[in-house]
Amino acid sequence: MNFINRIGAAVSAYGGPDFAWRLATGLSRRPVVLTYHRVLSSSDEVVDKTQRDVTKGEFRAHVKRLLSRRRPVTLYDIVKGEIGDGQVFAITFDDGYGDNFRTAAPILRELGVPAAVFVTTDPVSGRGWLWWDRLAYALTLSVGKSVSALGRNFEIASEADVWTAQAELTRTLKRATDRGAVIREIAEQSGMGNEPPPGLYLTWDDVRALRDDGWEIGAHTRSHRILTSLPREDAEIEIDECAREITDETGTGPRLFAYPNGRPGDFDDGIIAHLKETGFVGACASDAGPESNEPDPFAVKRIAPKGGEPASVFRLRVSGLYYKLRR
Ligand SMILES: [Zn+2]
């Protein structure tokens, strides 16, 4: 059990299971924006175990827990500051995974909760994998082999070796300009096919169905490159082409954006100015805790619950205490 899990357990043990929650909701009336990637059901293939995606059961429990204390609103309402009184929450999804439509949407429809999805257009348009999925899948298929990449040799004897190699390669490849070629080489050594498993990513038909269901369709670039790692012109193309494709496919231009990776340093004033010029009204960062009382509409903070976390840690995350303890 890591440090934060121990704190969560200790706080719950001290004051009963809802103590942390009561403490935190008493402290904070700030809007809470959650961010998820995949929502897994038992039939889904897990291509990347290091992502710690939530299961369908965990996702439903999170939303029901939030509904018992807070009112669901849209991210757009939060960005525009139109949320009225009381405590609110909004749900978002990043990247454009197919299970958002298959698994999460029916749960949210049943519970009457709106959502936004930030679409990366390359995988949704069938132009291949998101790079980290392809890397994880290739390494998983390489157990029992050795893989050479970046002038090194990775012996992949077990699942633990997959995770070690993946962590090391991911660190280097996140901002590498030759990333595509390196991953292609690793994929070729693994013998995997070029196409992602069917249903891993949303299709445009799925996106249109989500739109018809009331979801906000936001933009998350074309290929998920970290915008500040690119020459400005290329960063603008990543944004503009993504927005153009969403407009062509759904009939509506996206109003909201999520920065790839979304940490401080992954976006800057120039990127924000370009988003404003292009017609966006807000943008989300990643996993930085609950919002302040007056959110910066172009750096909306979000909470990223992980699969396998105890309910006490979910409560600590929503309360913001988790992020204070982590500092
Ligand atoms: Zn993303």
Side-chain angles (χ1 to χ4, degrees), residues 275-322:
L275 289 173
K276 287 178 178 168
E277 280 163 23
T278 317
F280 287 95
V281 300
C284 288
S286 305
D287 195 11
E291 249 322 331
S292 57
N293 287 323
E294 287 183 34
D296 174 350
F298 279 88
V300 175
K301 290 179 186 161
R302 294 187 292 173
I303 287 166
K306 301 282 182 257
E309 277 179 352
S312 54
V313 173
F314 179 71
R315 290 188 205 113
L316 285 175
R317 281 189 186 278
V318 170
S319 72
L321 286 177
Y322 177 94

mmCIF file of all heavy atoms in Angstrom, residues 275-322:
data_model
loop_
_atom_site.group_PDB
_atom_site.id
_atom_site.type_symbol
_atom_site.label_atom_id
_atom_site.label_comp_id
_atom_site.label_asym_id
_atom_site.label_seq_id
_atom_site.Cartn_x
_atom_site.Cartn_y
_atom_site.Cartn_z
ATOM 1 N N LEU A 275 -5.675 28.966 -29.417
ATOM 2 C CA LEU A 275 -6.976 28.328 -29.153
ATOM 3 C C LEU A 275 -8.089 29.376 -29.145
ATOM 4 O O LEU A 275 -9.165 29.162 -29.716
ATOM 5 C CB LEU A 275 -6.947 27.589 -27.812
ATOM 6 C CG LEU A 275 -6.108 26.304 -27.757
ATOM 7 C CD1 LEU A 275 -6.032 25.790 -26.317
ATOM 8 C CD2 LEU A 275 -6.691 25.223 -28.663
ATOM 9 N N LYS A 276 -7.821 30.528 -28.515
ATOM 10 C CA LYS A 276 -8.834 31.595 -28.454
ATOM 11 C C LYS A 276 -9.158 32.109 -29.854
ATOM 12 O O LYS A 276 -10.330 32.277 -30.202
ATOM 13 C CB LYS A 276 -8.349 32.737 -27.560
ATOM 14 C CG LYS A 276 -8.368 32.372 -26.079
ATOM 15 C CD LYS A 276 -7.843 33.519 -25.214
ATOM 16 C CE LYS A 276 -7.914 33.178 -23.733
ATOM 17 N NZ LYS A 276 -7.172 34.118 -22.895
ATOM 18 N N GLU A 277 -8.099 32.327 -30.644
ATOM 19 C CA GLU A 277 -8.311 32.817 -32.028
ATOM 20 C C GLU A 277 -9.129 31.834 -32.848
ATOM 21 O O GLU A 277 -9.876 32.203 -33.745
ATOM 22 C CB GLU A 277 -6.958 32.963 -32.750
ATOM 23 C CG GLU A 277 -6.186 34.206 -32.422
ATOM 24 C CD GLU A 277 -4.714 34.069 -32.848
ATOM 25 O OE1 GLU A 277 -4.422 33.242 -33.750
ATOM 26 O OE2 GLU A 277 -3.877 34.765 -32.252
ATOM 27 N N THR A 278 -8.958 30.538 -32.552
ATOM 28 C CA THR A 278 -9.618 29.491 -33.327
ATOM 29 C C THR A 278 -11.064 29.293 -32.883
ATOM 30 O O THR A 278 -11.807 28.538 -33.500
ATOM 31 C CB THR A 278 -8.826 28.165 -33.166
ATOM 32 O OG1 THR A 278 -7.435 28.460 -33.262
ATOM 33 C CG2 THR A 278 -9.186 27.152 -34.217
ATOM 34 N N GLY A 279 -11.467 29.934 -31.786
ATOM 35 C CA GLY A 279 -12.863 29.860 -31.370
ATOM 36 C C GLY A 279 -13.122 28.983 -30.159
ATOM 37 O O GLY A 279 -14.273 28.763 -29.777
ATOM 38 N N PHE A 280 -12.052 28.451 -29.547
ATOM 39 C CA PHE A 280 -12.262 27.660 -28.327
ATOM 40 C C PHE A 280 -12.580 28.595 -27.162
ATOM 41 O O PHE A 280 -12.072 29.722 -27.093
ATOM 42 C CB PHE A 280 -11.005 26.838 -28.004
ATOM 43 C CG PHE A 280 -10.804 25.668 -28.930
ATOM 44 C CD1 PHE A 280 -9.977 25.771 -30.049
ATOM 45 C CD2 PHE A 280 -11.450 24.463 -28.692
ATOM 46 C CE1 PHE A 280 -9.799 24.695 -30.907
ATOM 47 C CE2 PHE A 280 -11.276 23.381 -29.550
ATOM 48 C CZ PHE A 280 -10.450 23.501 -30.653
ATOM 49 N N VAL A 281 -13.414 28.096 -26.230
ATOM 50 C CA VAL A 281 -13.774 28.921 -25.066
ATOM 51 C C VAL A 281 -13.143 28.405 -23.777
ATOM 52 O O VAL A 281 -13.238 29.046 -22.730
ATOM 53 C CB VAL A 281 -15.309 29.026 -24.877
ATOM 54 C CG1 VAL A 281 -15.956 29.661 -26.096
ATOM 55 C CG2 VAL A 281 -15.935 27.670 -24.575
ATOM 56 N N GLY A 282 -12.495 27.237 -23.854
ATOM 57 C CA GLY A 282 -11.854 26.714 -22.654
ATOM 58 C C GLY A 282 -10.994 25.511 -22.974
ATOM 59 O O GLY A 282 -11.102 24.923 -24.053
ATOM 60 N N ALA A 283 -10.096 25.166 -22.026
ATOM 61 C CA ALA A 283 -9.207 24.027 -22.220
ATOM 62 C C ALA A 283 -8.829 23.410 -20.884
ATOM 63 O O ALA A 283 -8.706 24.110 -19.876
ATOM 64 C CB ALA A 283 -7.947 24.463 -22.975
ATOM 65 N N CYS A 284 -8.642 22.088 -20.916
ATOM 66 C CA CYS A 284 -8.363 21.336 -19.693
ATOM 67 C C CYS A 284 -6.909 20.919 -19.594
ATOM 68 O O CYS A 284 -6.303 20.485 -20.571
ATOM 69 C CB CYS A 284 -9.205 20.055 -19.671
ATOM 70 S SG CYS A 284 -10.944 20.358 -19.368
ATOM 71 N N ALA A 285 -6.381 20.994 -18.362
ATOM 72 C CA ALA A 285 -5.089 20.393 -18.034
ATOM 73 C C ALA A 285 -5.365 18.964 -17.512
ATOM 74 O O ALA A 285 -6.477 18.465 -17.646
ATOM 75 C CB ALA A 285 -4.390 21.250 -17.001
ATOM 76 N N SER A 286 -4.340 18.327 -16.937
ATOM 77 C CA SER A 286 -4.514 16.947 -16.446
ATOM 78 C C SER A 286 -4.203 16.846 -14.975
ATOM 79 O O SER A 286 -3.257 17.460 -14.480
ATOM 80 C CB SER A 286 -3.573 15.992 -17.187
ATOM 81 O OG SER A 286 -3.763 16.088 -18.564
ATOM 82 N N ASP A 287 -4.948 16.027 -14.301
ATOM 83 C CA ASP A 287 -4.658 15.565 -12.944
ATOM 84 C C ASP A 287 -3.949 16.579 -12.062
ATOM 85 O O ASP A 287 -2.811 16.369 -11.663
ATOM 86 C CB ASP A 287 -3.805 14.290 -13.022
ATOM 87 C CG ASP A 287 -3.789 13.554 -11.670
ATOM 88 O OD1 ASP A 287 -4.576 13.921 -10.787
ATOM 89 O OD2 ASP A 287 -2.977 12.661 -11.523
ATOM 90 N N ALA A 288 -4.593 17.680 -11.781
ATOM 91 C CA ALA A 288 -3.940 18.686 -10.950
ATOM 92 C C ALA A 288 -4.783 19.061 -9.744
ATOM 93 O O ALA A 288 -4.515 20.060 -9.095
ATOM 94 C CB ALA A 288 -3.630 19.917 -11.777
ATOM 95 N N GLY A 289 -5.813 18.280 -9.458
ATOM 96 C CA GLY A 289 -6.611 18.558 -8.269
ATOM 97 C C GLY A 289 -7.911 19.256 -8.587
ATOM 98 O O GLY A 289 -8.205 19.524 -9.755
ATOM 99 N N PRO A 290 -8.705 19.572 -7.568
ATOM 100 C CA PRO A 290 -9.992 20.216 -7.789
ATOM 101 C C PRO A 290 -9.803 21.667 -8.204
ATOM 102 O O PRO A 290 -8.758 22.257 -7.949
ATOM 103 C CB PRO A 290 -10.670 20.116 -6.429
ATOM 104 C CG PRO A 290 -9.552 20.049 -5.459
ATOM 105 C CD PRO A 290 -8.405 19.397 -6.153
ATOM 106 N N GLU A 291 -10.811 22.188 -8.833
ATOM 107 C CA GLU A 291 -10.754 23.560 -9.323
ATOM 108 C C GLU A 291 -10.691 24.570 -8.185
ATOM 109 O O GLU A 291 -11.063 24.277 -7.065
ATOM 110 C CB GLU A 291 -12.007 23.832 -10.160
ATOM 111 C CG GLU A 291 -11.753 23.991 -11.629
ATOM 112 C CD GLU A 291 -10.479 24.742 -11.948
ATOM 113 O OE1 GLU A 291 -10.045 25.599 -11.163
ATOM 114 O OE2 GLU A 291 -9.906 24.460 -12.994
ATOM 115 N N SER A 292 -10.232 25.772 -8.522
ATOM 116 C CA SER A 292 -10.370 26.872 -7.570
ATOM 117 C C SER A 292 -11.790 27.417 -7.704
ATOM 118 O O SER A 292 -12.533 27.002 -8.583
ATOM 119 C CB SER A 292 -9.346 27.954 -7.885
ATOM 120 O OG SER A 292 -9.538 28.382 -9.211
ATOM 121 N N ASN A 293 -12.158 28.358 -6.848
ATOM 122 C CA ASN A 293 -13.525 28.881 -6.909
ATOM 123 C C ASN A 293 -13.797 29.612 -8.217
ATOM 124 O O ASN A 293 -14.916 29.656 -8.687
ATOM 125 C CB ASN A 293 -13.797 29.778 -5.716
ATOM 126 C CG ASN A 293 -13.949 28.960 -4.444
ATOM 127 O OD1 ASN A 293 -14.507 27.863 -4.478
ATOM 128 N ND2 ASN A 293 -13.424 29.466 -3.348
ATOM 129 N N GLU A 294 -12.753 30.202 -8.792
ATOM 130 C CA GLU A 294 -12.921 30.852 -10.094
ATOM 131 C C GLU A 294 -11.929 30.235 -11.068
ATOM 132 O O GLU A 294 -10.800 30.704 -11.210
ATOM 133 C CB GLU A 294 -12.682 32.356 -9.960
ATOM 134 C CG GLU A 294 -13.840 33.046 -9.255
ATOM 135 C CD GLU A 294 -13.655 34.551 -9.187
ATOM 136 O OE1 GLU A 294 -13.091 35.124 -10.129
ATOM 137 O OE2 GLU A 294 -14.066 35.125 -8.172
ATOM 138 N N PRO A 295 -12.339 29.163 -11.742
ATOM 139 C CA PRO A 295 -11.409 28.434 -12.599
ATOM 140 C C PRO A 295 -10.857 29.291 -13.729
ATOM 141 O O PRO A 295 -11.557 30.163 -14.251
ATOM 142 C CB PRO A 295 -12.280 27.321 -13.185
ATOM 143 C CG PRO A 295 -13.515 27.265 -12.356
ATOM 144 C CD PRO A 295 -13.694 28.608 -11.727
ATOM 145 N N ASP A 296 -9.582 29.059 -14.067
ATOM 146 C CA ASP A 296 -9.012 29.643 -15.280
ATOM 147 C C ASP A 296 -9.566 28.828 -16.439
ATOM 148 O O ASP A 296 -9.274 27.640 -16.558
ATOM 149 C CB ASP A 296 -7.486 29.528 -15.219
ATOM 150 C CG ASP A 296 -6.829 29.989 -16.512
ATOM 151 O OD1 ASP A 296 -7.547 30.210 -17.506
ATOM 152 O OD2 ASP A 296 -5.589 30.096 -16.521
ATOM 153 N N PRO A 297 -10.381 29.437 -17.325
ATOM 154 C CA PRO A 297 -11.045 28.630 -18.357
ATOM 155 C C PRO A 297 -10.077 27.965 -19.325
ATOM 156 O O PRO A 297 -10.448 27.001 -19.983
ATOM 157 C CB PRO A 297 -11.962 29.628 -19.077
ATOM 158 C CG PRO A 297 -11.576 30.978 -18.619
ATOM 159 C CD PRO A 297 -10.778 30.846 -17.351
ATOM 160 N N PHE A 298 -8.824 28.421 -19.413
ATOM 161 C CA PHE A 298 -7.871 27.780 -20.327
ATOM 162 C C PHE A 298 -6.832 26.937 -19.588
ATOM 163 O O PHE A 298 -5.806 26.559 -20.158
ATOM 164 C CB PHE A 298 -7.235 28.814 -21.261
ATOM 165 C CG PHE A 298 -8.154 29.134 -22.413
ATOM 166 C CD1 PHE A 298 -9.107 30.130 -22.296
ATOM 167 C CD2 PHE A 298 -8.113 28.389 -23.584
ATOM 168 C CE1 PHE A 298 -9.994 30.397 -23.341
ATOM 169 C CE2 PHE A 298 -8.982 28.640 -24.626
ATOM 170 C CZ PHE A 298 -9.932 29.652 -24.515
ATOM 171 N N ALA A 299 -7.106 26.639 -18.333
ATOM 172 C CA ALA A 299 -6.252 25.694 -17.586
ATOM 173 C C ALA A 299 -7.106 25.003 -16.522
ATOM 174 O O ALA A 299 -6.780 25.007 -15.338
ATOM 175 C CB ALA A 299 -5.068 26.416 -16.955
ATOM 176 N N VAL A 300 -8.222 24.424 -16.976
ATOM 177 C CA VAL A 300 -9.145 23.781 -16.038
ATOM 178 C C VAL A 300 -8.435 22.578 -15.404
ATOM 179 O O VAL A 300 -7.887 21.730 -16.105
ATOM 180 C CB VAL A 300 -10.432 23.324 -16.769
ATOM 181 C CG1 VAL A 300 -11.343 22.537 -15.839
ATOM 182 C CG2 VAL A 300 -11.173 24.533 -17.348
ATOM 183 N N LYS A 301 -8.447 22.544 -14.088
ATOM 184 C CA LYS A 301 -7.796 21.428 -13.383
ATOM 185 C C LYS A 301 -8.737 20.229 -13.352
ATOM 186 O O LYS A 301 -9.958 20.400 -13.281
ATOM 187 C CB LYS A 301 -7.480 21.845 -11.943
ATOM 188 C CG LYS A 301 -6.390 22.870 -11.844
ATOM 189 C CD LYS A 301 -6.190 23.215 -10.390
ATOM 190 C CE LYS A 301 -5.206 24.356 -10.258
ATOM 191 N NZ LYS A 301 -5.316 24.997 -8.969
ATOM 192 N N ARG A 302 -8.135 19.052 -13.359
ATOM 193 C CA ARG A 302 -8.973 17.848 -13.324
ATOM 194 C C ARG A 302 -8.409 16.812 -12.355
ATOM 195 O O ARG A 302 -7.230 16.821 -12.037
ATOM 196 C CB ARG A 302 -9.089 17.251 -14.722
ATOM 197 C CG ARG A 302 -9.851 18.163 -15.670
ATOM 198 C CD ARG A 302 -10.114 17.503 -16.998
ATOM 199 N NE ARG A 302 -8.891 17.291 -17.761
ATOM 200 C CZ ARG A 302 -8.853 16.611 -18.901
ATOM 201 N NH1 ARG A 302 -9.955 16.079 -19.381
ATOM 202 N NH2 ARG A 302 -7.712 16.467 -19.543
ATOM 203 N N ILE A 303 -9.302 15.914 -11.969
ATOM 204 C CA ILE A 303 -8.960 14.827 -11.059
ATOM 205 C C ILE A 303 -9.008 13.534 -11.850
ATOM 206 O O ILE A 303 -9.982 13.294 -12.563
ATOM 207 C CB ILE A 303 -9.991 14.806 -9.910
ATOM 208 C CG1 ILE A 303 -9.721 15.984 -8.985
ATOM 209 C CG2 ILE A 303 -9.990 13.475 -9.186
ATOM 210 C CD1 ILE A 303 -10.843 16.252 -8.024
ATOM 211 N N ALA A 304 -7.968 12.716 -11.742
ATOM 212 C CA ALA A 304 -7.901 11.477 -12.532
ATOM 213 C C ALA A 304 -7.916 10.261 -11.612
ATOM 214 O O ALA A 304 -6.867 9.811 -11.163
ATOM 215 C CB ALA A 304 -6.645 11.483 -13.395
ATOM 216 N N PRO A 305 -9.105 9.718 -11.315
ATOM 217 C CA PRO A 305 -9.155 8.513 -10.482
ATOM 218 C C PRO A 305 -8.515 7.330 -11.216
ATOM 219 O O PRO A 305 -8.568 7.262 -12.442
ATOM 220 C CB PRO A 305 -10.657 8.260 -10.310
ATOM 221 C CG PRO A 305 -11.342 9.493 -10.779
ATOM 222 C CD PRO A 305 -10.440 10.129 -11.776
ATOM 223 N N LYS A 306 -7.899 6.434 -10.459
ATOM 224 C CA LYS A 306 -7.234 5.275 -11.067
ATOM 225 C C LYS A 306 -7.962 3.987 -10.711
ATOM 226 O O LYS A 306 -8.565 3.885 -9.631
ATOM 227 C CB LYS A 306 -5.788 5.180 -10.553
ATOM 228 C CG LYS A 306 -4.953 6.412 -10.860
ATOM 229 C CD LYS A 306 -4.478 6.430 -12.297
ATOM 230 C CE LYS A 306 -3.616 7.606 -12.627
ATOM 231 N NZ LYS A 306 -4.309 8.649 -13.382
ATOM 232 N N GLY A 307 -7.851 3.001 -11.601
ATOM 233 C CA GLY A 307 -8.423 1.687 -11.320
ATOM 234 C C GLY A 307 -7.720 1.053 -10.129
ATOM 235 O O GLY A 307 -6.527 1.262 -9.928
ATOM 236 N N GLY A 308 -8.473 0.292 -9.345
ATOM 237 C CA GLY A 308 -7.880 -0.445 -8.232
ATOM 238 C C GLY A 308 -7.679 0.381 -6.969
ATOM 239 O O GLY A 308 -7.208 -0.146 -5.962
ATOM 240 N N GLU A 309 -8.058 1.658 -7.004
ATOM 241 C CA GLU A 309 -7.897 2.481 -5.801
ATOM 242 C C GLU A 309 -9.065 2.259 -4.842
ATOM 243 O O GLU A 309 -10.209 2.188 -5.272
ATOM 244 C CB GLU A 309 -7.906 3.973 -6.171
ATOM 245 C CG GLU A 309 -6.580 4.474 -6.644
ATOM 246 C CD GLU A 309 -6.615 5.949 -7.020
ATOM 247 O OE1 GLU A 309 -7.708 6.563 -7.051
ATOM 248 O OE2 GLU A 309 -5.543 6.468 -7.306
ATOM 249 N N PRO A 310 -8.775 2.220 -3.524
ATOM 250 C CA PRO A 310 -9.873 2.116 -2.570
ATOM 251 C C PRO A 310 -10.771 3.359 -2.629
ATOM 252 O O PRO A 310 -10.314 4.436 -3.034
ATOM 253 C CB PRO A 310 -9.178 2.035 -1.208
ATOM 254 C CG PRO A 310 -7.723 2.053 -1.456
ATOM 255 C CD PRO A 310 -7.462 2.306 -2.907
ATOM 256 N N ALA A 311 -12.024 3.199 -2.177
ATOM 257 C CA ALA A 311 -12.977 4.323 -2.179
ATOM 258 C C ALA A 311 -12.443 5.496 -1.371
ATOM 259 O O ALA A 311 -12.696 6.655 -1.697
ATOM 260 C CB ALA A 311 -14.323 3.863 -1.628
ATOM 261 N N SER A 312 -11.665 5.199 -0.333
ATOM 262 C CA SER A 312 -11.139 6.294 0.513
ATOM 263 C C SER A 312 -10.204 7.196 -0.303
ATOM 264 O O SER A 312 -10.176 8.407 -0.092
ATOM 265 C CB SER A 312 -10.402 5.728 1.725
ATOM 266 O OG SER A 312 -9.409 4.815 1.315
ATOM 267 N N VAL A 313 -9.450 6.620 -1.234
ATOM 268 C CA VAL A 313 -8.548 7.435 -2.057
ATOM 269 C C VAL A 313 -9.355 8.262 -3.062
ATOM 270 O O VAL A 313 -9.035 9.424 -3.320
ATOM 271 C CB VAL A 313 -7.488 6.554 -2.763
ATOM 272 C CG1 VAL A 313 -6.660 7.376 -3.744
ATOM 273 C CG2 VAL A 313 -6.592 5.897 -1.734
ATOM 274 N N PHE A 314 -10.427 7.668 -3.587
ATOM 275 C CA PHE A 314 -11.298 8.440 -4.478
ATOM 276 C C PHE A 314 -11.820 9.679 -3.746
ATOM 277 O O PHE A 314 -11.813 10.790 -4.270
ATOM 278 C CB PHE A 314 -12.459 7.580 -4.981
ATOM 279 C CG PHE A 314 -13.406 8.324 -5.879
ATOM 280 C CD1 PHE A 314 -13.025 8.688 -7.163
ATOM 281 C CD2 PHE A 314 -14.673 8.696 -5.435
ATOM 282 C CE1 PHE A 314 -13.885 9.404 -7.990
ATOM 283 C CE2 PHE A 314 -15.543 9.408 -6.258
ATOM 284 C CZ PHE A 314 -15.141 9.761 -7.536
ATOM 285 N N ARG A 315 -12.251 9.476 -2.499
ATOM 286 C CA ARG A 315 -12.771 10.610 -1.718
ATOM 287 C C ARG A 315 -11.681 11.650 -1.484
ATOM 288 O O ARG A 315 -11.925 12.848 -1.566
ATOM 289 C CB ARG A 315 -13.306 10.125 -0.373
ATOM 290 C CG ARG A 315 -14.566 9.330 -0.522
ATOM 291 C CD ARG A 315 -15.142 9.053 0.860
ATOM 292 N NE ARG A 315 -15.953 7.856 0.803
ATOM 293 C CZ ARG A 315 -15.659 6.719 1.412
ATOM 294 N NH1 ARG A 315 -14.582 6.617 2.165
ATOM 295 N NH2 ARG A 315 -16.447 5.695 1.285
ATOM 296 N N LEU A 316 -10.467 11.188 -1.182
ATOM 297 C CA LEU A 316 -9.366 12.136 -0.963
ATOM 298 C C LEU A 316 -9.071 12.923 -2.232
ATOM 299 O O LEU A 316 -8.777 14.119 -2.191
ATOM 300 C CB LEU A 316 -8.096 11.394 -0.510
ATOM 301 C CG LEU A 316 -8.062 10.894 0.932
ATOM 302 C CD1 LEU A 316 -6.789 10.075 1.163
ATOM 303 C CD2 LEU A 316 -8.111 12.044 1.924
ATOM 304 N N ARG A 317 -9.135 12.241 -3.369
ATOM 305 C CA ARG A 317 -8.890 12.941 -4.639
ATOM 306 C C ARG A 317 -9.948 14.025 -4.859
ATOM 307 O O ARG A 317 -9.632 15.166 -5.178
ATOM 308 C CB ARG A 317 -8.971 11.947 -5.813
ATOM 309 C CG ARG A 317 -7.726 11.101 -5.989
ATOM 310 C CD ARG A 317 -7.846 10.329 -7.300
ATOM 311 N NE ARG A 317 -6.779 9.386 -7.504
ATOM 312 C CZ ARG A 317 -5.565 9.693 -7.991
ATOM 313 N NH1 ARG A 317 -5.286 10.937 -8.322
ATOM 314 N NH2 ARG A 317 -4.654 8.760 -8.144
ATOM 315 N N VAL A 318 -11.234 13.638 -4.713
ATOM 316 C CA VAL A 318 -12.320 14.589 -4.973
ATOM 317 C C VAL A 318 -12.242 15.771 -4.010
ATOM 318 O O VAL A 318 -12.509 16.911 -4.385
ATOM 319 C CB VAL A 318 -13.692 13.871 -4.873
ATOM 320 C CG1 VAL A 318 -14.843 14.869 -4.902
ATOM 321 C CG2 VAL A 318 -13.843 12.865 -6.013
ATOM 322 N N SER A 319 -11.832 15.502 -2.799
ATOM 323 C CA SER A 319 -11.767 16.565 -1.790
ATOM 324 C C SER A 319 -10.621 17.533 -2.049
ATOM 325 O O SER A 319 -10.636 18.659 -1.592
ATOM 326 C CB SER A 319 -11.564 15.947 -0.410
ATOM 327 O OG SER A 319 -10.243 15.448 -0.305
ATOM 328 N N GLY A 320 -9.591 17.067 -2.765
ATOM 329 C CA GLY A 320 -8.405 17.890 -2.952
ATOM 330 C C GLY A 320 -7.318 17.585 -1.928
ATOM 331 O O GLY A 320 -6.165 17.951 -2.108
ATOM 332 N N LEU A 321 -7.691 16.881 -0.839
ATOM 333 C CA LEU A 321 -6.686 16.571 0.189
ATOM 334 C C LEU A 321 -5.554 15.725 -0.393
ATOM 335 O O LEU A 321 -4.398 15.887 -0.042
ATOM 336 C CB LEU A 321 -7.333 15.799 1.355
ATOM 337 C CG LEU A 321 -8.224 16.589 2.298
ATOM 338 C CD1 LEU A 321 -8.840 15.660 3.343
ATOM 339 C CD2 LEU A 321 -7.426 17.689 2.988
ATOM 340 N N TYR A 322 -5.912 14.834 -1.307
ATOM 341 C CA TYR A 322 -4.921 13.957 -1.956
ATOM 342 C C TYR A 322 -3.786 14.783 -2.540
ATOM 343 O O TYR A 322 -2.624 14.446 -2.394
ATOM 344 C CB TYR A 322 -5.636 13.179 -3.065
ATOM 345 C CG TYR A 322 -4.753 12.276 -3.881
ATOM 346 C CD1 TYR A 322 -4.607 10.930 -3.561
ATOM 347 C CD2 TYR A 322 -4.071 12.759 -5.003
ATOM 348 C CE1 TYR A 322 -3.805 10.098 -4.323
ATOM 349 C CE2 TYR A 322 -3.270 11.932 -5.767
ATOM 350 C CZ TYR A 322 -3.141 10.605 -5.423
ATOM 351 O OH TYR A 322 -2.350 9.799 -6.172
#
